């Protein structure tokens, strides 16, 4: 089945630094990648949608200058959290639709636990 | 506001019992529905998807969809302790809209299967 590889799985960074999270589709081409954030005991919140070769679209309330998304190829999408602060500490997960189409489900990366100290 | 609501839980069932997880959705145009299982500290994994009215079975899992009632459910037969997790219901908006492709997730139901 479709696999989305997400790295790193855990990262601890100092306040004010930037962190890059990568998601790679290993056996299919992901023209679209969705980026979610999940706080403890809460459901997934969609942050943005990245499309290969075009600008990402951000959900209301998500700062595009803080959460930089790049989808430079059909197999790689990245999320960079710039000037991270403790309130950015969360579980970040990427997701790509099945190769057969949206109706057939979405594959999630393994997630990145970001802790900003 | 397009919403997906799940029964609040937590739900606790004994091993071997049937666990019933329920979900309602407000967007009548939603075309597909998904059940994901999420273990603590892990990312969601797809259990089943359904887009036609009726039942869909896969092993111990049965998804049920009733579009008239805007209701989706997941039954887990012969529940095992390894089924203990948070179950997320998600809806896919209709094709052609600006939100197409963006899943709307419910808040999740915590299931505990005790030996």
């Amino acid at each position: 089945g479709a696999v989305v590889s997400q790295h790193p799985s855990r990262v601890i960074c100092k306040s004010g630094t930037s962190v890059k999270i990568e998601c790679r589709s290993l056996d299919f081409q992901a023209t679209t990648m969705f980026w979610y954030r999940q706080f403890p005991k809460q459901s997934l919140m969609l942050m943005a949608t990245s499309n290969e070769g075009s600008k990402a679209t951000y959900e209301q309330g998500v700062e595009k200058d803080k959460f930089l998304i790049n989808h430079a190829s059909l197999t790689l999408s990245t999320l960079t959290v710039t000037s991270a602060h403790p309130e950015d500490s969360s579980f970040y997960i990427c997701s790509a639709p099945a190769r057969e189409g949206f109706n057939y489900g979405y594959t999630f990366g393994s997630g990145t636990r970001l802790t900003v100290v | 506001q397009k919403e997906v609501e799940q029964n609040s839980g937590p739900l606790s069932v004994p091993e071997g019992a049937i666990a019933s997880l329920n979900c309602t959705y407000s967007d009548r145009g939603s075309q597909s529905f998904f059940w994901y299982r999420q273990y603590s500290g892990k990312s969601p994994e797809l259990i089943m998807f359904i887009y036609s009215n009726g039942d869909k079975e896969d092993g111990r899992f049965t998804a049920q969809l009733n579009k008239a009632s805007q209701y989706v459910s997941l039954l887990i037969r012969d529940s095992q302790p390894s089924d203990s997790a948070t179950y997320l219901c998600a809806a896919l908006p209709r094709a052609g809209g600006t939100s197409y492709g963006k899943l709307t997730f419910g808040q999740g139901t915590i299931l505990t299967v005790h030996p």
Side-chain angles (χ1 to χ4, degrees):
Chain A
V3 176
V4 174
S5 176
Q6 183 171 350
H7 294 280
S9 58
R10 289 181 180 272
V11 58
I12 300 173
C13 71
K14 291 185 177 180
S15 188
T17 61
S18 296
V19 173
K20 179 185 280 189
I21 301 169
E22 290 189 350
C23 278
R24 294 181 183 274
S25 55
L26 297 187
D27 52 355
F28 68 106
Q29 294 181 331
T31 56
T32 302
M33 192 77 75
F34 298 95
W35 286 92
Y36 294 87
R37 179 168 52 183
Q38 186 177 36
F39 292 107
K41 301 189 185 304
Q42 294 187 22
S43 191
L44 284 76
M45 288 186 58
L46 180 65
M47 299 175 64
T49 304
S50 73
N51 295 289
E52 187 269 336
S54 63
K55 288 185 178 180
T57 57
Y58 291 80
E59 297 301 301
Q60 191 172 7
V62 177
E63 300 175 60
K64 59 182 65 178
D65 293 331
K66 182 170 186 59
F67 299 100
L68 301 179
I69 291 175
N70 185 277
H71 197 144
S73 76
L74 288 171
T75 58
L76 176 64
S77 179
T78 61
L79 166 67
T80 301
V81 183
T82 63
S83 187
H85 288 93
E87 57 266 30
D88 299 323
S89 298
S90 189
F91 191 47
Y92 293 86
I93 320 173
C94 60
S95 174
R99 70 185 86 193
E100 298 86 352
F102 293 131
N103 281 320
Y104 293 84
Y106 295 65
T107 299
F108 283 84
S110 55
T112 297
R113 178 78 56 192
L114 171 63
T115 303
V116 185
V117 298
Chain B
Q1 179 77 18
K2 299 183 175 68
E3 292 183 346
V4 173
E5 300 280 346
Q6 296 185 237
N7 48 335
S8 55
L11 179 65
S12 180
V13 301
E15 184 173 358
I18 296 175
S20 177
L21 303 161
N22 304 314
C23 175
T24 58
Y25 58 96
S26 63
D27 181 8
R28 188 172 286 278
S30 297
Q31 62 179 67
S32 294
F33 305 88
F34 308 91
W35 283 100
Y36 283 89
R37 177 175 61 197
Q38 186 176 25
Y39 293 112
S40 181
K42 304 294 184 181
S43 68
E45 55 180 320
L46 182 65
I47 298 175
M48 292 190 70
F49 64 90
I50 187 168
Y51 47 79
S52 299
N53 271 328
D55 295 359
K56 180 181 180 182
E57 187 174 318
D58 183 1
R60 296 187 296 112
F61 300 95
T62 299
Q64 300 174 316
L65 173 61
N66 183 324
K67 290 187 177 180
S69 301
Q70 297 176 236
Y71 176 87
V72 190
S73 67
L74 180 70
L75 300 177
I76 306 174
R77 290 181 299 281
D78 188 24
S79 296
Q80 301 297 309
S82 58
D83 294 325
S84 298
T86 297
Y87 288 79
L88 299 167
C89 173
L92 175 68
R94 75 185 79 193
T98 56
S99 296
Y100 184 57
K102 299 180 182 180
L103 295 181
T104 301
F105 283 89
Q107 71 272 35
T109 299
I110 298 173
L111 171 66
T112 301
V113 181
H114 51 88

